[in-house]
Amino acid sequence: MTATSGIPTTMRAAVLHGPGQLSLAERPVPEPGPGEVLVRVEAVGTCGSDVHYYRHGRIGDFVVREPLVLGHEAAGTVVACGPGADTRRMGRRVSIEPGTPCGSCGECRPGRYNLCPDMRFLATPPVDGAFCEYLAVRQDFAHEVPDCLTIEDAALLEPLSVAVWACRKARVAPGDRVLITGAGPIGLVTAQTARAFGAREVMVTDVLPHRLALARAAGATALDVSATPLRDAGYTPTVLLECSGVPAVSGEAIRTVGRAGRVVLVGMGGDEIPLPLSRVQNRELELTGTFRYAHTWPTATALVASGAVRLDSLVSHGYGLAEAESALTVATHDASAVKAVIYPQR
């Protein structure tokens, strides 16, 4: 292993033991394997999936059966290289793509590696995540970022990648009228991405005033559906990007989509949604889901570097590693919370 000086032998990690049971633990610093780099983790965004694991100990079939380190929206600096890794990566700031596919299956070979059945994804049981001080990752999934990006930008390229993938799946193009349901972090960054992809109009729906204000600041029309139901808004989108994950919202929003429109389900909510089948058939709507992303980091990086997308507006709270539990629970008592970022070196 080629390494800089000063790397300790142990590190701190925030470990989930069960629902609502998070504690700080001392763990060995991982040794980077062949083709891997060791990253000193400097910023990690908290995601809804992290909060769900913290509250419930599971997401669908993924169950926390052993102690698990959460966090998958990560960035930091390369401080060591394993055998065969490019030593020129030393000292470079990187954004970590958190999924490692097998690279050889029937999904990986055509480039759909996000659908790899053997994917190892950070903070998805049994794979530990990034709420820790050091992380070993494959060098080709540690994407270098330009100096104009902050460390928070670099970490949040992961949720931005979700938005890029959704807009690609929807084929968002100049002239489109886009409806985004849900003004959470994904909905807000998807609104910016849709504008960057050329949409002539973007409407974002929610019920929380501060999130609707952020949508307006991003150049979108904001609709408070607690005051004006979507069906009464008179908006007929060519593209629906459903980011709320609320089944009832999905069904209502699909009914607004114009003829030959495209519907992409982004948010993860219930197992089933009320599907207005006659509307889908009579208007020849295209409907698909998304699962993570593939080949998105170069586009996401370019969007932020060019100023087309601003990620700093998402960051509402910051915490040290010992405060990870506060980061996961802040939204329960602070209505202004959007995205909490953990700084593991603090």
Side-chain angles (χ1 to χ4, degrees):
M1 178 179 70
T2 303
T4 58
S5 60
I7 299 175
T9 57
T10 62
M11 66 176 185
R12 298 176 304 153
V15 181
L16 180 69
H17 299 273
Q21 301 174 32
L22 192 77
S23 64
L24 210 58
E26 200 77 11
R27 289 193 167 190
V29 170
E31 186 93 3
E36 291 185 337
V37 294
L38 182 68
V39 177
R40 183 178 65 234
V41 183
E42 293 160 1
V44 191
T46 56
C47 174
S49 64
D50 298 316
V51 174
H52 200 88
Y53 278 125
Y54 172 77
R55 289 179 179 171
H56 306 288
R58 66 183 302 156
I59 296 178
D61 294 334
F62 296 103
V63 182
V64 179
R65 303 185 190 280
E66 299 177 352
L68 180 74
V69 178
L70 295 175
H72 63 267
E73 303 175 0
T77 302
V78 175
V79 294
C81 294
D86 187 351
T87 57
R88 291 174 296 181
R89 306 293 300 279
M90 296 281 287
R92 303 288 180 86
R93 296 189 314 145
V94 294
S95 173
I96 296 172
E97 184 171 354
T100 304
C102 74
S104 60
C105 70
E107 303 300 335
C108 286
R109 287 197 303 273
R112 301 186 298 263
Y113 64 81
N114 57 310
L115 300 179
C116 174
D118 296 318
M119 175 73 78
R120 291 179 56 81
F121 200 88
L122 295 184
T124 298
V127 182
D128 281 330
F131 287 177
C132 57
E133 294 180 297
Y134 292 89
L135 192 64
V137 298
R138 252 174 54 180
Q139 67 172 353
D140 49 336
F141 287 86
H143 302 273
E144 292 186 22
V145 296
D147 291 341
C148 60
L149 268 64
T150 67
I151 199 63
E152 293 86 357
D153 289 335
L156 299 186
L157 291 180
E158 196 278 340
L160 177 54
S161 282
V162 173
V164 168
W165 189 245
C167 286
R168 284 182 182 172
K169 294 282 282 186
R171 304 191 305 282
V172 175
D176 274 324
R177 303 180 81 218
V178 177
L179 172 63
I180 296 170
T181 45
I186 294 298
L188 291 169
V189 77
T190 300
Q192 293 191 61
T193 305
R195 290 299 298 267
F197 274 44
R200 68 182 172 96
E201 189 174 357
V202 177
M203 175 181 281
V204 178
T205 67
D206 207 288
V207 297
L208 297 177
H210 72 285
R211 294 197 174 191
L212 291 169
L214 289 172
R216 292 189 194 95
T221 299
L223 178 67
D224 183 348
V225 289
S226 67
T228 304
L230 181 57
R231 63 180 176 273
D232 297 334
Y235 188 71
T236 304
T238 55
V239 171
L240 165 62
L241 300 170
E242 206 301 293
C243 296
S244 75
V246 178
V249 172
S250 302
E252 182 180 12
I254 289 171
R255 294 181 185 276
T256 70
V257 180
R259 290 174 172 81
R262 288 96 67 196
V263 177
V264 178
L265 304 178
V266 185
M268 298 181 69
D271 290 336
E272 297 180 358
I273 65 170
L275 182 64
L277 188 57
S278 62
R279 188 81 170 193
V280 172
Q281 290 181 318
N282 295 342
R283 296 205 167 195
E284 290 197 350
L285 304 184
E286 297 179 35
L287 189 150
T288 187
T290 59
F291 187 64
R292 297 170 179 159
Y293 35 68
H295 311 291
T296 52
W297 253 255
T299 298
T301 302
L303 287 174
V304 179
S306 69
V309 170
R310 291 193 57 180
L311 296 173
D312 56 349
S313 63
L314 299 180
V315 180
S316 58
H317 294 76
Y319 298 92
L321 188 60
E323 303 169 296
E325 193 163 16
S326 296
L328 294 169
T329 59
V330 61
T332 63
H333 58 80
D334 188 342
S336 70
V338 178
K339 173 72 70 173
V341 173
I342 292 173
Y343 301 93
Q345 303 303 318
R346 294 184 184 174

